[in-house]
């Protein structure tokens, strides 16, 4: 492992993911090399079908690269066996999607706690989940079922569930796809706050320039390949930059 791979939170070296398709194959992610330092928020943009979700699934240990080396928080995912990948998913990365996918019969707090139950004692999980939800402005919603939460509040619960047990990497696939502009701003502020408090590394796939404008770096995928990158100074944690294009 190179020294840079040890220093960076996420390192992709010539990573590709191909799927068989009849006699040919579809290359969803093609020869991507990318280093993401700890505590960075990076946005992955690009047209539909350009490989954003595939890239997140690879970094999250939900899918395996067909080529290349992929290191996340020191773990070589391309070399890891299934047991190591399971542990990695429990301890290192949390993933949120466009939908919160909460269990309807449980409260907000219970939805967060159950996600960690196989891995840690309930009282510890409860304390951490309560702290997380309170830090996201949900102190008075802990006992509410998902049906009595707004879409933005449900996404905050999904983020709390993803970060439980001190996971240091948050992957978000179109997390604001179902939110209006004001809820999108609120969720981004919540993510920015968590990032400061917990030194999170955040990778967000998005079509929304408002979301990308919160990232320090925006990369674009086209047909699975990296096609451009913009960097922005980090002025303040929840201050946004103007995107030029
Ligand atoms: N399991 C699979 N089998 C075959 N092809 C796949 C599979 N998953 C994704 N693909 C293909 O890989 C390419 C990238 O898909 P991906 O879902 O990563 O794109 P995306 O950028 O997330 O798109 P969107 O913006 O619509 O969410 C697409 O051409 C898709 O059809
Ligand atoms: Mg996608």
């Amino acid at each position: 492992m190179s020294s840079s791979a040890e220093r960076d939170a996420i390192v992709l070296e010539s990573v590709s993911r191909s799927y068989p398709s009849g006699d040919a194959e579809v290359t969803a992610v093609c020869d991507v090399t990318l280093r993401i330092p700890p505590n960075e928020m990076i946005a992955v943009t690009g047209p539909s079908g350009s490989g954003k979700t595939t890239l997140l699934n690879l970094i999250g240990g939900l899918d395996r690269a067909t080529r290349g080396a992929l290191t996340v928080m020191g773990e070589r995912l391309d070399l890891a066996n299934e047991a190591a990948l399971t542990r990695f998913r429990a301890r290192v990365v949390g993933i949120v999607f466009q939908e919160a996918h909460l269990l309807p019969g449980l409260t907000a707090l219970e939805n967060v706690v159950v996600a960690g139950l196989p891995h840690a004692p309930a009282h510890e999980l409860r304390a951490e989940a309560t702290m997380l939800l309170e830090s996201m402005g949900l102190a008075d919603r802990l006992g509410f079922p998902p049906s009595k939460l707004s879409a933005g509040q449900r996404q905050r619960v999904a983020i709390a569930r993803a970060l439980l047990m001190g996971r240091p990497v948050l992957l978000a696939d179109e997390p604001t796809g179902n939110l209006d502009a004001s809820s999108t701003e609120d969720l981004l502020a919540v993510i920015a706050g968590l990032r400061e408090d917990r030194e999170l590394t955040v990778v967000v796939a998005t079509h929304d320039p408002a979301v990308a404008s919160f990232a320090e770096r925006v990369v674009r995928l086209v047909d699975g390949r990296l096609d451009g990158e913009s960097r922005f100074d980090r002025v303040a944690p929840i201050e946004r930059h103007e995107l030029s294009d």
Side-chain angles (χ1 to χ4, degrees), residues 141-156:
R141 296 288 188 277
L142 301 181
F144 279 43
S147 60
K148 294 192 175 161
L149 299 173
S150 70
Q153 289 169 338
R154 287 195 296 271
Q155 282 301 65
R156 290 187 222 179

Side-chain angles (χ1 to χ4, degrees), residues 16 36 41 68 91 124 146-147 149 156 169 180 190 211:
S16 298
I36 305 174
M41 175 165 170
R91 297 285 172 186
E124 280 177 23
S147 60
L149 299 173
R156 290 187 222 179
V169 178
D180 63 21
V190 160
V211 176

Side-chain angles (χ1 to χ4, degrees), residues 33-63:
T33 293
L34 186 63
R35 296 179 185 281
I36 305 174
N39 205 209
E40 183 172 83
M41 175 165 170
I42 182 168
V44 181
T45 64
S48 184
S50 60
K52 302 181 295 296
T53 294
T54 306
L55 187 71
L56 256 56
N57 288 342
L58 291 171
I59 296 171
L62 297 173
D63 192 6

